[in-house]
Each structure stands twice: as structure tokens, then as C-alpha cells.
């Protein structure tokens, strides 16, 4: 059974014989059905899954981010959260490691900060787009920043911090 999804950047995910590819608006297959799963194109890239691993391709089916990651987020502020060998790092659209694979968990960048969980003490903090620590890894929880402030949980107590880690 064939199945067609919504178009994104003039291409639509297409399902045939148990695999996914992409068709154009003329219903011509432009990327063969070779993937276990595909996501729609955004800014010229689509996330794909093959052999239980994730990567990104361009509309010519050229691999931009190798299909070797256990988890990949969508791009936020030019970086994608990537998980490999149990650790989290951040890549750019050229597959360059911008922030090394040293974190336990992470949330996408928002307002130039990402909330990340330390691989050492399992606490949460924030880093900038260069990987510099901006909020120390002291917190059991951190919410997303809103209007410059975030809710945190520290030793069982709730508080509010600013982007300079001031309570």
C-alpha cells in the first residue's frame, strides 16, 4: 500500500513496500523508498532513519549528517542535539561537532542557551552556543527561560534564576 504525506519544500514523504522516500508535486519519486522513517524537509534538510540510526539528507538524497546517530533533534539556532554511544552533543548543519558528546540529556537552544544535564553529576545547567557553561550544573530541574528567568529546583527547593545564574 502506498501512502503520501503533506508536502514540505515541494517534497512529500512517500511510503511504499515498507520503506519511505520522497515524491515531488508531479508525483515523481525523487528520493527512493529506502528509509525506515523520514521527516519533512525544513531549510533544505530532512531527518531520516535507516538501520535504526538517524541522520539528515538534502533534496538530492545526499547525506549531510551521517546516518549514525541514536537520536537527533530538529535544528534550533543552527544546531542539532545528537546522541551517540549514550552521550549527547551538538552538531551544525555541516556535521561539525560544535559541542562535544559529554552530556546525559539536553533541550534545544532557545535565546542562545541550551539546558543540558551533566554526564558527571546528573545535575542540570545551561551552555551557550560555544559550549561555555552559563548556568552551573547545580540544579535538579531547570525550566526554559522566559523573559530572562527560569524556574529551578535546588536541593528540593524551588527558585528563580536569571541567565547569569543569579537566584
Amino acid at each position: 500500500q502506498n501512502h503520501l504525506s503533506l508536502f514540505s519544500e515541494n517534497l512529500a514523504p512517500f511510503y511504499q513496500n515498507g520503506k519511505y522516500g520522497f515524491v515531488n508535486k508531479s508525483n515523481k519519486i525523487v528520493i527512493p523508498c529506502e528509509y525506515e522513517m523520514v521527516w519533512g524537509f525544513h531549510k533544505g534538510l530532512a531527518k531520516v532513519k535507516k538501520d535504526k540510526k538517524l541522520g539528515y539528507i538534502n533534496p538530492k538524497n545526499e547525506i549531510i549528517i551521517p546516518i549514525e546517530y541514536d537520536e537527533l533533534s530538529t535544528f534550533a539556532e543552527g544546531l542539532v542535539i545528537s546522541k551517540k554511544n549514550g552521550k549527547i552533543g551538538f552538531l551544525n548543519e555541516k556535521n561539525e561537532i560544535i559541542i562535544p558528546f559529554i552530556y546525559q540529556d539536553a533541550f534545544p537552544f532557545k535565546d542562545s542557551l541550551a539546558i543540558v544535564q551533566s554526564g558527571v553529576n546528573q545535575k542540570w545547567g545551561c551552555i551557550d552556543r560555544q559550549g561555555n557553561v552559563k548556568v552551573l550544573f547545580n540544579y535538579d530541574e531547570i525550566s526554559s527561560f522566559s523573559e530572562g528567568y527560569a524556574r529551578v529546583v535546588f536541593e528540593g527547593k524551588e527558585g528563580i534564576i536569571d541567565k547569569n545564574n543569579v537566584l
Side-chain angles (χ1 to χ4, degrees), residues 81-94:
I81 300 169
S82 313
K83 185 174 186 178
K84 191 173 182 180
N85 301 322
K87 294 290 182 186
I88 300 278
F90 290 79
L91 307 171
N92 66 14
E93 59 279 342
K94 296 176 185 169

Side-chain angles (χ1 to χ4, degrees), residues 55-104:
Y56 273 91
I57 61 169
N58 69 15
K60 295 177 182 175
N61 201 25
E62 297 168 330
I63 296 170
I64 304 302
I65 304 287
I67 305 169
E68 61 186 29
Y69 296 97
D70 301 316
E71 294 177 21
L72 280 177
S73 70
T74 55
F75 280 87
E77 297 187 15
L79 298 177
V80 62
I81 300 169
S82 313
K83 185 174 186 178
K84 191 173 182 180
N85 301 322
K87 294 290 182 186
I88 300 278
F90 290 79
L91 307 171
N92 66 14
E93 59 279 342
K94 296 176 185 169
N95 193 42
E96 297 167 329
I97 298 171
I98 302 302
I99 296 167
F101 288 80
I102 58 172
Y103 296 105
Q104 201 64 32

Side-chain angles (χ1 to χ4, degrees), residues 34-53:
E34 61 183 85
Y35 299 105
E36 294 164 20
M37 178 60 74
V38 297
W39 288 258
F41 277 90
H42 180 70
K43 295 185 179 179
L45 296 175
K47 184 167 50 171
V48 296
K49 184 177 185 180
K50 192 174 195 175
D51 300 324
K52 299 181 181 176
K53 297 290 183 179

